[in-house]
Amino acid sequence: ELKVEQNPLFLSMQEGKNYTIYCNYSTTSDRLYWYRQDPGKSLESLFVLLSNGAVKQEGRLMASLDTKARLSTLHITAAVHDLSATYFCAVGTLPRGGANNLFFGTGTRLTVIP
Amino acid sequence: EAGVTQFPSHSVIEKGQTVTLRCDPISGHDNLYWYRRVMGKEIKFLLHFVKESKQDESGMPNNRFLAERTGGTYSTLKVQPAELEDSGVYFCASSLHLAGGYNEQFFGPGTRLTVL
C-alpha cells in the first residue's frame, strides 16, 4: 500500500517568517496534490503537481515535486495569519480509467502567530 | 454551482447504534469517493463508486460498513452496529469520470461521527 509521510505535524510560526512542509511517499505516482482545510470546512485544492520538477506558486505558497526522490515540498513565504489552517498532501494512484484514489499524509496544522 | 454536501455535519451515537451518513456529489460527477480520518491519523480511502457501481471498496474496514449509491446520484454510508473505533470525520468527494486524465476531486465538509 502506498504510504505518505508528511512533516511536521504541527507548525507554529511567526508572521513574516518562511517555512517548508515536506511530503514523502513510498511508491511511484505521477500526481501529487496539496489541500488546505479550515476547521469545519471542506478540503480546498491548492495545487496539483503532475510531473517531475513541477513547481507551482500561488501567493505566498509554492509547491514543488521531485518524483525521483518521491518528495514534494510546500514552501510558505512571509507567513500571514490568514494562512493558518491544516495542510494535507495526497498522492494519487496511477489512474484506472477515470478513477484516482488518493492516499493522504497526516496533515500539518499550521498556526501563524501575529 | 453547489459543491459536495454532506449530512449530518455532526453525529453523536452510542456504541451499538446505527448511523447513516449522506453525501450529495456535484451534479454530473460520476465518481464518488468516501474517505475517513480517525483522530490524529491520515485521511484514508474507504471506497469508490462510478455511478451506482462500486469500483473499489478495498478501504472499507469491515462488514459493519455498508455504502450505497442507488440511481448513481447521492450516496449513503451506514455503520451498523457502531463501535468506538468508528469515531472520526467521514469525507465524501466527487469528480468527473474522464478516462486518460486526472479528475480533480472536490471534497465535502465531512461528517464528524462520535461513538460513545
Side-chain angles (χ1 to χ4, degrees), chain A residues 31 33 35 37 42-43 45 88 96-102 104-106, chain B residues 31 33 35 37 42-43 45 48 56 91 97 99 102-105 107-109:
Chain A
R31 56 204 65 204
Y33 305 79
Y35 289 89
Q37 188 190 26
S42 308
L43 275 73
S45 178
F88 294 94
R96 300 189 300 268
N100 183 27
N101 302 344
L102 298 179
F104 283 82
T106 50
Chain B
N31 280 334
Y33 302 84
Y35 295 88
R37 188 184 192 201
E42 68 273 21
I43 299 170
F45 166 79
H48 165 225
D56 183 350
F91 292 100
H97 186 76
Y102 89 94
N103 296 299
E104 182 180 1
Q105 295 183 30
F107 282 79

PDB file of all heavy atoms in Angstrom, chain A residues 31 33 35 37 42-43 45 88 96-102 104-106, chain B residues 31 33 35 37 42-43 45 48 56 91 97 99 102-105 107-109:
ATOM      1  N   ARG A  31       1.188  11.967  -9.772  1.00  0.00           N
ATOM      2  CA  ARG A  31       0.400  13.140  -9.421  1.00  0.00           C
ATOM      3  C   ARG A  31       0.373  13.324  -7.907  1.00  0.00           C
ATOM      4  O   ARG A  31       0.200  12.375  -7.153  1.00  0.00           O
ATOM      5  CB  ARG A  31      -1.013  13.038  -9.971  1.00  0.00           C
ATOM      6  CG  ARG A  31      -1.771  11.808  -9.549  1.00  0.00           C
ATOM      7  CD  ARG A  31      -2.865  11.471 -10.537  1.00  0.00           C
ATOM      8  NE  ARG A  31      -2.291  11.108 -11.832  1.00  0.00           N
ATOM      9  CZ  ARG A  31      -2.933  11.210 -12.983  1.00  0.00           C
ATOM     10  NH1 ARG A  31      -4.167  11.677 -13.016  1.00  0.00           N
ATOM     11  NH2 ARG A  31      -2.353  10.870 -14.118  1.00  0.00           N
ATOM     12  N   TYR A  33      -1.027  16.126  -4.810  1.00  0.00           N
ATOM     13  CA  TYR A  33      -1.973  17.189  -4.531  1.00  0.00           C
ATOM     14  C   TYR A  33      -1.656  17.826  -3.175  1.00  0.00           C
ATOM     15  O   TYR A  33      -1.230  17.136  -2.245  1.00  0.00           O
ATOM     16  CB  TYR A  33      -3.409  16.639  -4.462  1.00  0.00           C
ATOM     17  CG  TYR A  33      -3.862  15.872  -5.680  1.00  0.00           C
ATOM     18  CD1 TYR A  33      -3.466  14.551  -5.881  1.00  0.00           C
ATOM     19  CD2 TYR A  33      -4.690  16.457  -6.632  1.00  0.00           C
ATOM     20  CE1 TYR A  33      -3.885  13.842  -6.989  1.00  0.00           C
ATOM     21  CE2 TYR A  33      -5.121  15.761  -7.743  1.00  0.00           C
ATOM     22  CZ  TYR A  33      -4.718  14.445  -7.915  1.00  0.00           C
ATOM     23  OH  TYR A  33      -5.138  13.747  -9.026  1.00  0.00           O
ATOM     24  N   TYR A  35      -3.732  20.159  -0.336  1.00  0.00           N
ATOM     25  CA  TYR A  35      -5.037  20.663   0.060  1.00  0.00           C
ATOM     26  C   TYR A  35      -4.888  21.507   1.318  1.00  0.00           C
ATOM     27  O   TYR A  35      -3.987  21.295   2.136  1.00  0.00           O
ATOM     28  CB  TYR A  35      -6.013  19.525   0.393  1.00  0.00           C
ATOM     29  CG  TYR A  35      -6.480  18.717  -0.782  1.00  0.00           C
ATOM     30  CD1 TYR A  35      -5.776  17.600  -1.202  1.00  0.00           C
ATOM     31  CD2 TYR A  35      -7.643  19.067  -1.472  1.00  0.00           C
ATOM     32  CE1 TYR A  35      -6.223  16.840  -2.279  1.00  0.00           C
ATOM     33  CE2 TYR A  35      -8.088  18.313  -2.543  1.00  0.00           C
ATOM     34  CZ  TYR A  35      -7.373  17.199  -2.937  1.00  0.00           C
ATOM     35  OH  TYR A  35      -7.809  16.451  -4.000  1.00  0.00           O
ATOM     36  N   GLN A  37      -7.295  22.831   4.631  1.00  0.00           N
ATOM     37  CA  GLN A  37      -8.570  22.680   5.314  1.00  0.00           C
ATOM     38  C   GLN A  37      -8.657  23.640   6.485  1.00  0.00           C
ATOM     39  O   GLN A  37      -7.795  23.637   7.376  1.00  0.00           O
ATOM     40  CB  GLN A  37      -8.786  21.250   5.822  1.00  0.00           C
ATOM     41  CG  GLN A  37     -10.197  21.049   6.374  1.00  0.00           C
ATOM     42  CD  GLN A  37     -10.383  19.742   7.089  1.00  0.00           C
ATOM     43  OE1 GLN A  37      -9.453  19.149   7.616  1.00  0.00           O
ATOM     44  NE2 GLN A  37     -11.630  19.286   7.150  1.00  0.00           N
ATOM     45  N   SER A  42     -14.552  22.212   3.984  1.00  0.00           N
ATOM     46  CA  SER A  42     -14.096  21.200   3.027  1.00  0.00           C
ATOM     47  C   SER A  42     -12.594  21.315   2.806  1.00  0.00           C
ATOM     48  O   SER A  42     -11.991  22.339   3.091  1.00  0.00           O
ATOM     49  CB  SER A  42     -14.776  21.414   1.680  1.00  0.00           C
ATOM     50  OG  SER A  42     -16.173  21.490   1.809  1.00  0.00           O
ATOM     51  N   LEU A  43     -12.035  20.261   2.254  1.00  0.00           N
ATOM     52  CA  LEU A  43     -10.653  20.342   1.789  1.00  0.00           C
ATOM     53  C   LEU A  43     -10.649  21.149   0.499  1.00  0.00           C
ATOM     54  O   LEU A  43     -11.358  20.836  -0.451  1.00  0.00           O
ATOM     55  CB  LEU A  43     -10.083  18.955   1.514  1.00  0.00           C
ATOM     56  CG  LEU A  43      -9.492  18.197   2.691  1.00  0.00           C
ATOM     57  CD1 LEU A  43     -10.583  17.696   3.612  1.00  0.00           C
ATOM     58  CD2 LEU A  43      -8.642  17.032   2.197  1.00  0.00           C
ATOM     59  N   SER A  45      -8.601  22.438  -2.739  1.00  0.00           N
ATOM     60  CA  SER A  45      -7.443  22.090  -3.553  1.00  0.00           C
ATOM     61  C   SER A  45      -6.563  23.320  -3.760  1.00  0.00           C
ATOM     62  O   SER A  45      -7.036  24.379  -4.171  1.00  0.00           O
ATOM     63  CB  SER A  45      -7.914  21.559  -4.907  1.00  0.00           C
ATOM     64  OG  SER A  45      -6.815  21.264  -5.725  1.00  0.00           O
ATOM     65  N   PHE A  88      -2.736  19.346   3.812  1.00  0.00           N
ATOM     66  CA  PHE A  88      -2.563  17.926   3.512  1.00  0.00           C
ATOM     67  C   PHE A  88      -1.891  17.759   2.154  1.00  0.00           C
ATOM     68  O   PHE A  88      -2.237  18.458   1.199  1.00  0.00           O
ATOM     69  CB  PHE A  88      -3.913  17.202   3.433  1.00  0.00           C
ATOM     70  CG  PHE A  88      -4.663  17.125   4.727  1.00  0.00           C
ATOM     71  CD1 PHE A  88      -5.618  18.075   5.045  1.00  0.00           C
ATOM     72  CD2 PHE A  88      -4.435  16.071   5.603  1.00  0.00           C
ATOM     73  CE1 PHE A  88      -6.331  17.996   6.237  1.00  0.00           C
ATOM     74  CE2 PHE A  88      -5.146  15.991   6.787  1.00  0.00           C
ATOM     75  CZ  PHE A  88      -6.090  16.947   7.111  1.00  0.00           C
ATOM     76  N   ARG A  96      -6.883   4.325 -13.143  1.00  0.00           N
ATOM     77  CA  ARG A  96      -7.549   3.253 -13.869  1.00  0.00           C
ATOM     78  C   ARG A  96      -8.804   3.872 -14.468  1.00  0.00           C
ATOM     79  O   ARG A  96      -9.724   4.223 -13.751  1.00  0.00           O
ATOM     80  CB  ARG A  96      -7.932   2.103 -12.933  1.00  0.00           C
ATOM     81  CG  ARG A  96      -6.774   1.450 -12.212  1.00  0.00           C
ATOM     82  CD  ARG A  96      -7.291   0.200 -11.501  1.00  0.00           C
ATOM     83  NE  ARG A  96      -8.319   0.544 -10.528  1.00  0.00           N
ATOM     84  CZ  ARG A  96      -8.060   0.798  -9.258  1.00  0.00           C
ATOM     85  NH1 ARG A  96      -6.827   0.791  -8.818  1.00  0.00           N
ATOM     86  NH2 ARG A  96      -9.031   1.087  -8.413  1.00  0.00           N
ATOM     87  N   GLY A  97      -8.795   4.007 -15.759  1.00  0.00           N
ATOM     88  CA  GLY A  97      -9.926   4.686 -16.376  1.00  0.00           C
ATOM     89  C   GLY A  97      -9.987   6.094 -15.847  1.00  0.00           C
ATOM     90  O   GLY A  97      -9.025   6.827 -15.891  1.00  0.00           O
ATOM     91  N   GLY A  98     -11.105   6.463 -15.304  1.00  0.00           N
ATOM     92  CA  GLY A  98     -11.243   7.809 -14.763  1.00  0.00           C
ATOM     93  C   GLY A  98     -11.123   7.868 -13.264  1.00  0.00           C
ATOM     94  O   GLY A  98     -11.462   8.888 -12.660  1.00  0.00           O
ATOM     95  N   ALA A  99     -10.624   6.800 -12.633  1.00  0.00           N
ATOM     96  CA  ALA A  99     -10.575   6.753 -11.177  1.00  0.00           C
ATOM     97  C   ALA A  99      -9.181   7.086 -10.683  1.00  0.00           C
ATOM     98  O   ALA A  99      -8.192   6.871 -11.363  1.00  0.00           O
ATOM     99  CB  ALA A  99     -10.975   5.367 -10.690  1.00  0.00           C
ATOM    100  N   ASN A 100      -9.101   7.595  -9.490  1.00  0.00           N
ATOM    101  CA  ASN A 100      -7.831   8.051  -8.949  1.00  0.00           C
ATOM    102  C   ASN A 100      -7.942   8.160  -7.450  1.00  0.00           C
ATOM    103  O   ASN A 100      -8.175   9.242  -6.918  1.00  0.00           O
ATOM    104  CB  ASN A 100      -7.493   9.408  -9.580  1.00  0.00           C
ATOM    105  CG  ASN A 100      -6.151   9.930  -9.145  1.00  0.00           C
ATOM    106  OD1 ASN A 100      -5.274   9.165  -8.807  1.00  0.00           O
ATOM    107  ND2 ASN A 100      -6.011  11.233  -9.137  1.00  0.00           N
ATOM    108  N   ASN A 101      -7.775   7.029  -6.743  1.00  0.00           N
ATOM    109  CA  ASN A 101      -7.870   7.076  -5.294  1.00  0.00           C
ATOM    110  C   ASN A 101      -6.702   7.847  -4.724  1.00  0.00           C
ATOM    111  O   ASN A 101      -5.589   7.802  -5.248  1.00  0.00           O
ATOM    112  CB  ASN A 101      -7.865   5.656  -4.724  1.00  0.00           C
ATOM    113  CG  ASN A 101      -9.001   4.824  -5.266  1.00  0.00           C
ATOM    114  OD1 ASN A 101      -9.963   5.350  -5.825  1.00  0.00           O
ATOM    115  ND2 ASN A 101      -8.903   3.526  -5.123  1.00  0.00           N
ATOM    116  N   LEU A 102      -6.931   8.553  -3.649  1.00  0.00           N
ATOM    117  CA  LEU A 102      -5.910   9.379  -3.036  1.00  0.00           C
ATOM    118  C   LEU A 102      -5.423   8.778  -1.729  1.00  0.00           C
ATOM    119  O   LEU A 102      -6.212   8.249  -0.947  1.00  0.00           O
ATOM    120  CB  LEU A 102      -6.457  10.784  -2.766  1.00  0.00           C
ATOM    121  CG  LEU A 102      -6.889  11.586  -3.984  1.00  0.00           C
ATOM    122  CD1 LEU A 102      -7.420  12.937  -3.556  1.00  0.00           C
ATOM    123  CD2 LEU A 102      -5.742  11.746  -4.961  1.00  0.00           C
ATOM    124  N   PHE A 104      -3.402  10.024   1.601  1.00  0.00           N
ATOM    125  CA  PHE A 104      -3.096  11.286   2.262  1.00  0.00           C
ATOM    126  C   PHE A 104      -1.987  11.170   3.281  1.00  0.00           C
ATOM    127  O   PHE A 104      -1.791  10.115   3.914  1.00  0.00           O
ATOM    128  CB  PHE A 104      -4.340  11.808   2.991  1.00  0.00           C
ATOM    129  CG  PHE A 104      -5.372  12.432   2.102  1.00  0.00           C
ATOM    130  CD1 PHE A 104      -6.284  11.645   1.426  1.00  0.00           C
ATOM    131  CD2 PHE A 104      -5.413  13.806   1.935  1.00  0.00           C
ATOM    132  CE1 PHE A 104      -7.241  12.221   0.595  1.00  0.00           C
ATOM    133  CE2 PHE A 104      -6.373  14.393   1.118  1.00  0.00           C
ATOM    134  CZ  PHE A 104      -7.282  13.597   0.450  1.00  0.00           C
ATOM    135  N   GLY A 105      -1.285  12.262   3.476  1.00  0.00           N
ATOM    136  CA  GLY A 105      -0.425  12.412   4.629  1.00  0.00           C
ATOM    137  C   GLY A 105      -1.266  12.749   5.859  1.00  0.00           C
ATOM    138  O   GLY A 105      -2.478  12.947   5.758  1.00  0.00           O
ATOM    139  N   THR A 106      -0.612  12.821   7.005  1.00  0.00           N
ATOM    140  CA  THR A 106      -1.331  13.052   8.257  1.00  0.00           C
ATOM    141  C   THR A 106      -1.783  14.493   8.428  1.00  0.00           C
ATOM    142  O   THR A 106      -2.559  14.800   9.318  1.00  0.00           O
ATOM    143  CB  THR A 106      -0.466  12.677   9.458  1.00  0.00           C
ATOM    144  OG1 THR A 106       0.812  13.313   9.316  1.00  0.00           O
ATOM    145  CG2 THR A 106      -0.278  11.176   9.565  1.00  0.00           C
TER     146      THR A 106
ATOM    147  N   ASN B  31     -17.928   9.927 -10.507  1.00  0.00           N
ATOM    148  CA  ASN B  31     -17.076   9.360  -9.458  1.00  0.00           C
ATOM    149  C   ASN B  31     -17.494   9.902  -8.105  1.00  0.00           C
ATOM    150  O   ASN B  31     -17.662  11.118  -7.933  1.00  0.00           O
ATOM    151  CB  ASN B  31     -15.609   9.750  -9.679  1.00  0.00           C
ATOM    152  CG  ASN B  31     -14.915   8.899 -10.719  1.00  0.00           C
ATOM    153  OD1 ASN B  31     -15.286   7.764 -10.965  1.00  0.00           O
ATOM    154  ND2 ASN B  31     -13.890   9.472 -11.342  1.00  0.00           N
ATOM    155  N   TYR B  33     -16.334   9.238  -3.949  1.00  0.00           N
ATOM    156  CA  TYR B  33     -15.399   8.596  -3.036  1.00  0.00           C
ATOM    157  C   TYR B  33     -15.817   8.870  -1.590  1.00  0.00           C
ATOM    158  O   TYR B  33     -16.283   9.957  -1.268  1.00  0.00           O
ATOM    159  CB  TYR B  33     -13.981   9.161  -3.221  1.00  0.00           C
ATOM    160  CG  TYR B  33     -13.406   9.042  -4.611  1.00  0.00           C
ATOM    161  CD1 TYR B  33     -13.703   9.984  -5.590  1.00  0.00           C
ATOM    162  CD2 TYR B  33     -12.523   8.011  -4.929  1.00  0.00           C
ATOM    163  CE1 TYR B  33     -13.162   9.884  -6.862  1.00  0.00           C
ATOM    164  CE2 TYR B  33     -11.968   7.916  -6.201  1.00  0.00           C
ATOM    165  CZ  TYR B  33     -12.292   8.850  -7.158  1.00  0.00           C
ATOM    166  OH  TYR B  33     -11.749   8.753  -8.409  1.00  0.00           O
ATOM    167  N   TYR B  35     -13.960   8.815   2.236  1.00  0.00           N
ATOM    168  CA  TYR B  35     -12.715   8.763   2.988  1.00  0.00           C
ATOM    169  C   TYR B  35     -13.052   8.938   4.469  1.00  0.00           C
ATOM    170  O   TYR B  35     -14.110   9.443   4.832  1.00  0.00           O
ATOM    171  CB  TYR B  35     -11.764   9.904   2.575  1.00  0.00           C
ATOM    172  CG  TYR B  35     -11.246   9.856   1.164  1.00  0.00           C
ATOM    173  CD1 TYR B  35     -11.960  10.447   0.115  1.00  0.00           C
ATOM    174  CD2 TYR B  35     -10.016   9.269   0.874  1.00  0.00           C
ATOM    175  CE1 TYR B  35     -11.473  10.425  -1.184  1.00  0.00           C
ATOM    176  CE2 TYR B  35      -9.519   9.259  -0.427  1.00  0.00           C
ATOM    177  CZ  TYR B  35     -10.258   9.828  -1.445  1.00  0.00           C
ATOM    178  OH  TYR B  35      -9.765   9.813  -2.720  1.00  0.00           O
ATOM    179  N   ARG B  37     -11.145  10.095   8.360  1.00  0.00           N
ATOM    180  CA  ARG B  37      -9.982  10.497   9.154  1.00  0.00           C
ATOM    181  C   ARG B  37     -10.270  10.195  10.615  1.00  0.00           C
ATOM    182  O   ARG B  37     -11.131  10.828  11.219  1.00  0.00           O
ATOM    183  CB  ARG B  37      -9.649  11.971   8.977  1.00  0.00           C
ATOM    184  CG  ARG B  37      -8.331  12.343   9.656  1.00  0.00           C
ATOM    185  CD  ARG B  37      -8.004  13.801   9.597  1.00  0.00           C
ATOM    186  NE  ARG B  37      -6.623  14.049   9.995  1.00  0.00           N
ATOM    187  CZ  ARG B  37      -6.166  15.214  10.416  1.00  0.00           C
ATOM    188  NH1 ARG B  37      -6.994  16.249  10.503  1.00  0.00           N
ATOM    189  NH2 ARG B  37      -4.902  15.370  10.753  1.00  0.00           N
ATOM    190  N   GLU B  42      -4.037   9.870   9.307  1.00  0.00           N
ATOM    191  CA  GLU B  42      -4.226  10.404   7.966  1.00  0.00           C
ATOM    192  C   GLU B  42      -5.642  10.132   7.469  1.00  0.00           C
ATOM    193  O   GLU B  42      -6.355   9.277   8.006  1.00  0.00           O
ATOM    194  CB  GLU B  42      -3.206   9.787   7.002  1.00  0.00           C
ATOM    195  CG  GLU B  42      -3.384   8.317   6.713  1.00  0.00           C
ATOM    196  CD  GLU B  42      -2.698   7.423   7.718  1.00  0.00           C
ATOM    197  OE1 GLU B  42      -2.418   7.883   8.841  1.00  0.00           O
ATOM    198  OE2 GLU B  42      -2.462   6.258   7.383  1.00  0.00           O
ATOM    199  N   ILE B  43      -6.043  10.853   6.460  1.00  0.00           N
ATOM    200  CA  ILE B  43      -7.309  10.605   5.784  1.00  0.00           C
ATOM    201  C   ILE B  43      -7.135   9.336   4.942  1.00  0.00           C
ATOM    202  O   ILE B  43      -6.207   9.240   4.136  1.00  0.00           O
ATOM    203  CB  ILE B  43      -7.691  11.796   4.882  1.00  0.00           C
ATOM    204  CG1 ILE B  43      -7.851  13.069   5.723  1.00  0.00           C
ATOM    205  CG2 ILE B  43      -8.973  11.491   4.115  1.00  0.00           C
ATOM    206  CD1 ILE B  43      -8.002  14.338   4.895  1.00  0.00           C
ATOM    207  N   PHE B  45      -8.756   6.312   2.381  1.00  0.00           N
ATOM    208  CA  PHE B  45      -9.745   5.934   1.380  1.00  0.00           C
ATOM    209  C   PHE B  45     -10.592   4.774   1.899  1.00  0.00           C
ATOM    210  O   PHE B  45     -10.073   3.824   2.486  1.00  0.00           O
ATOM    211  CB  PHE B  45      -9.005   5.523   0.107  1.00  0.00           C
ATOM    212  CG  PHE B  45      -9.850   4.797  -0.892  1.00  0.00           C
ATOM    213  CD1 PHE B  45     -10.720   5.471  -1.727  1.00  0.00           C
ATOM    214  CD2 PHE B  45      -9.755   3.407  -1.009  1.00  0.00           C
ATOM    215  CE1 PHE B  45     -11.485   4.795  -2.660  1.00  0.00           C
ATOM    216  CE2 PHE B  45     -10.513   2.724  -1.937  1.00  0.00           C
ATOM    217  CZ  PHE B  45     -11.382   3.416  -2.767  1.00  0.00           C
ATOM    218  N   HIS B  48     -15.012   3.656  -3.560  1.00  0.00           N
ATOM    219  CA  HIS B  48     -15.200   4.484  -4.743  1.00  0.00           C
ATOM    220  C   HIS B  48     -16.347   3.931  -5.574  1.00  0.00           C
ATOM    221  O   HIS B  48     -16.382   2.727  -5.851  1.00  0.00           O
ATOM    222  CB  HIS B  48     -13.891   4.495  -5.548  1.00  0.00           C
ATOM    223  CG  HIS B  48     -14.016   4.991  -6.947  1.00  0.00           C
ATOM    224  ND1 HIS B  48     -13.430   4.345  -8.007  1.00  0.00           N
ATOM    225  CD2 HIS B  48     -14.649   6.080  -7.466  1.00  0.00           C
ATOM    226  CE1 HIS B  48     -13.703   5.001  -9.119  1.00  0.00           C
ATOM    227  NE2 HIS B  48     -14.422   6.054  -8.825  1.00  0.00           N
ATOM    228  N   ASP B  56     -14.251   0.106  -6.196  1.00  0.00           N
ATOM    229  CA  ASP B  56     -13.157  -0.273  -5.309  1.00  0.00           C
ATOM    230  C   ASP B  56     -13.632  -0.041  -3.879  1.00  0.00           C
ATOM    231  O   ASP B  56     -13.931   1.083  -3.515  1.00  0.00           O
ATOM    232  CB  ASP B  56     -11.917   0.585  -5.607  1.00  0.00           C
ATOM    233  CG  ASP B  56     -10.705   0.209  -4.771  1.00  0.00           C
ATOM    234  OD1 ASP B  56     -10.830  -0.587  -3.825  1.00  0.00           O
ATOM    235  OD2 ASP B  56      -9.619   0.731  -5.076  1.00  0.00           O
ATOM    236  N   PHE B  91     -15.331  11.917   5.092  1.00  0.00           N
ATOM    237  CA  PHE B  91     -15.373  12.842   3.969  1.00  0.00           C
ATOM    238  C   PHE B  91     -15.903  12.140   2.733  1.00  0.00           C
ATOM    239  O   PHE B  91     -15.622  10.974   2.488  1.00  0.00           O
ATOM    240  CB  PHE B  91     -13.974  13.367   3.644  1.00  0.00           C
ATOM    241  CG  PHE B  91     -13.376  14.265   4.683  1.00  0.00           C
ATOM    242  CD1 PHE B  91     -12.454  13.769   5.591  1.00  0.00           C
ATOM    243  CD2 PHE B  91     -13.724  15.603   4.741  1.00  0.00           C
ATOM    244  CE1 PHE B  91     -11.893  14.581   6.552  1.00  0.00           C
ATOM    245  CE2 PHE B  91     -13.161  16.431   5.695  1.00  0.00           C
ATOM    246  CZ  PHE B  91     -12.245  15.923   6.606  1.00  0.00           C
ATOM    247  N   HIS B  97     -15.666  11.665 -14.471  1.00  0.00           N
ATOM    248  CA  HIS B  97     -15.081  10.368 -14.815  1.00  0.00           C
ATOM    249  C   HIS B  97     -14.648  10.428 -16.273  1.00  0.00           C
ATOM    250  O   HIS B  97     -15.366   9.980 -17.161  1.00  0.00           O
ATOM    251  CB  HIS B  97     -16.103   9.260 -14.592  1.00  0.00           C
ATOM    252  CG  HIS B  97     -15.549   7.882 -14.791  1.00  0.00           C
ATOM    253  ND1 HIS B  97     -14.740   7.261 -13.865  1.00  0.00           N
ATOM    254  CD2 HIS B  97     -15.672   7.010 -15.811  1.00  0.00           C
ATOM    255  CE1 HIS B  97     -14.406   6.079 -14.305  1.00  0.00           C
ATOM    256  NE2 HIS B  97     -14.953   5.890 -15.483  1.00  0.00           N
ATOM    257  N   ALA B  99     -11.697   9.304 -18.783  1.00  0.00           N
ATOM    258  CA  ALA B  99     -10.569   8.395 -18.901  1.00  0.00           C
ATOM    259  C   ALA B  99      -9.364   9.124 -19.484  1.00  0.00           C
ATOM    260  O   ALA B  99      -9.498  10.040 -20.298  1.00  0.00           O
ATOM    261  CB  ALA B  99     -10.941   7.209 -19.788  1.00  0.00           C
ATOM    262  N   TYR B 102      -6.282  13.164 -15.212  1.00  0.00           N
ATOM    263  CA  TYR B 102      -6.625  13.207 -13.804  1.00  0.00           C
ATOM    264  C   TYR B 102      -7.935  13.962 -13.664  1.00  0.00           C
ATOM    265  O   TYR B 102      -8.237  14.862 -14.437  1.00  0.00           O
ATOM    266  CB  TYR B 102      -5.506  13.886 -13.008  1.00  0.00           C
ATOM    267  CG  TYR B 102      -5.635  15.381 -12.870  1.00  0.00           C
ATOM    268  CD1 TYR B 102      -6.245  15.944 -11.758  1.00  0.00           C
ATOM    269  CD2 TYR B 102      -5.152  16.226 -13.849  1.00  0.00           C
ATOM    270  CE1 TYR B 102      -6.359  17.312 -11.627  1.00  0.00           C
ATOM    271  CE2 TYR B 102      -5.270  17.595 -13.721  1.00  0.00           C
ATOM    272  CZ  TYR B 102      -5.868  18.138 -12.600  1.00  0.00           C
ATOM    273  OH  TYR B 102      -5.991  19.487 -12.475  1.00  0.00           O
ATOM    274  N   ASN B 103      -8.706  13.561 -12.713  1.00  0.00           N
ATOM    275  CA  ASN B 103     -10.004  14.177 -12.467  1.00  0.00           C
ATOM    276  C   ASN B 103      -9.998  14.710 -11.038  1.00  0.00           C
ATOM    277  O   ASN B 103     -10.010  13.943 -10.089  1.00  0.00           O
ATOM    278  CB  ASN B 103     -11.125  13.150 -12.651  1.00  0.00           C
ATOM    279  CG  ASN B 103     -11.210  12.657 -14.076  1.00  0.00           C
ATOM    280  OD1 ASN B 103     -11.441  13.424 -14.991  1.00  0.00           O
ATOM    281  ND2 ASN B 103     -10.981  11.373 -14.280  1.00  0.00           N
ATOM    282  N   GLU B 104      -9.963  16.023 -10.929  1.00  0.00           N
ATOM    283  CA  GLU B 104      -9.848  16.640  -9.615  1.00  0.00           C
ATOM    284  C   GLU B 104     -11.012  16.253  -8.735  1.00  0.00           C
ATOM    285  O   GLU B 104     -12.174  16.305  -9.163  1.00  0.00           O
ATOM    286  CB  GLU B 104      -9.784  18.158  -9.747  1.00  0.00           C
ATOM    287  CG  GLU B 104      -9.617  18.871  -8.405  1.00  0.00           C
ATOM    288  CD  GLU B 104      -9.557  20.376  -8.541  1.00  0.00           C
ATOM    289  OE1 GLU B 104      -9.656  20.871  -9.679  1.00  0.00           O
ATOM    290  OE2 GLU B 104      -9.433  21.053  -7.509  1.00  0.00           O
ATOM    291  N   GLN B 105     -10.695  15.862  -7.521  1.00  0.00           N
ATOM    292  CA  GLN B 105     -11.724  15.515  -6.555  1.00  0.00           C
ATOM    293  C   GLN B 105     -12.107  16.743  -5.736  1.00  0.00           C
ATOM    294  O   GLN B 105     -11.243  17.466  -5.251  1.00  0.00           O
ATOM    295  CB  GLN B 105     -11.234  14.402  -5.628  1.00  0.00           C
ATOM    296  CG  GLN B 105     -10.995  13.095  -6.354  1.00  0.00           C
ATOM    297  CD  GLN B 105     -10.584  11.966  -5.434  1.00  0.00           C
ATOM    298  OE1 GLN B 105     -10.963  11.921  -4.262  1.00  0.00           O
ATOM    299  NE2 GLN B 105      -9.811  11.033  -5.962  1.00  0.00           N
ATOM    300  N   PHE B 107     -14.117  17.972  -2.426  1.00  0.00           N
ATOM    301  CA  PHE B 107     -14.488  17.378  -1.152  1.00  0.00           C
ATOM    302  C   PHE B 107     -15.651  18.106  -0.485  1.00  0.00           C
ATOM    303  O   PHE B 107     -15.801  19.326  -0.620  1.00  0.00           O
ATOM    304  CB  PHE B 107     -13.289  17.380  -0.194  1.00  0.00           C
ATOM    305  CG  PHE B 107     -12.296  16.305  -0.481  1.00  0.00           C
ATOM    306  CD1 PHE B 107     -11.386  16.435  -1.510  1.00  0.00           C
ATOM    307  CD2 PHE B 107     -12.288  15.139   0.276  1.00  0.00           C
ATOM    308  CE1 PHE B 107     -10.474  15.424  -1.792  1.00  0.00           C
ATOM    309  CE2 PHE B 107     -11.375  14.130   0.005  1.00  0.00           C
ATOM    310  CZ  PHE B 107     -10.467  14.273  -1.033  1.00  0.00           C
ATOM    311  N   GLY B 108     -16.424  17.335   0.255  1.00  0.00           N
ATOM    312  CA  GLY B 108     -17.423  17.908   1.130  1.00  0.00           C
ATOM    313  C   GLY B 108     -16.788  18.292   2.460  1.00  0.00           C
ATOM    314  O   GLY B 108     -15.622  18.005   2.713  1.00  0.00           O
ATOM    315  N   PRO B 109     -17.588  18.924   3.339  1.00  0.00           N
ATOM    316  CA  PRO B 109     -17.040  19.395   4.616  1.00  0.00           C
ATOM    317  C   PRO B 109     -16.856  18.281   5.642  1.00  0.00           C
ATOM    318  O   PRO B 109     -16.241  18.506   6.679  1.00  0.00           O
ATOM    319  CB  PRO B 109     -18.093  20.393   5.097  1.00  0.00           C
ATOM    320  CG  PRO B 109     -19.358  19.930   4.452  1.00  0.00           C
ATOM    321  CD  PRO B 109     -18.972  19.344   3.132  1.00  0.00           C
TER     322      PRO B 109
END
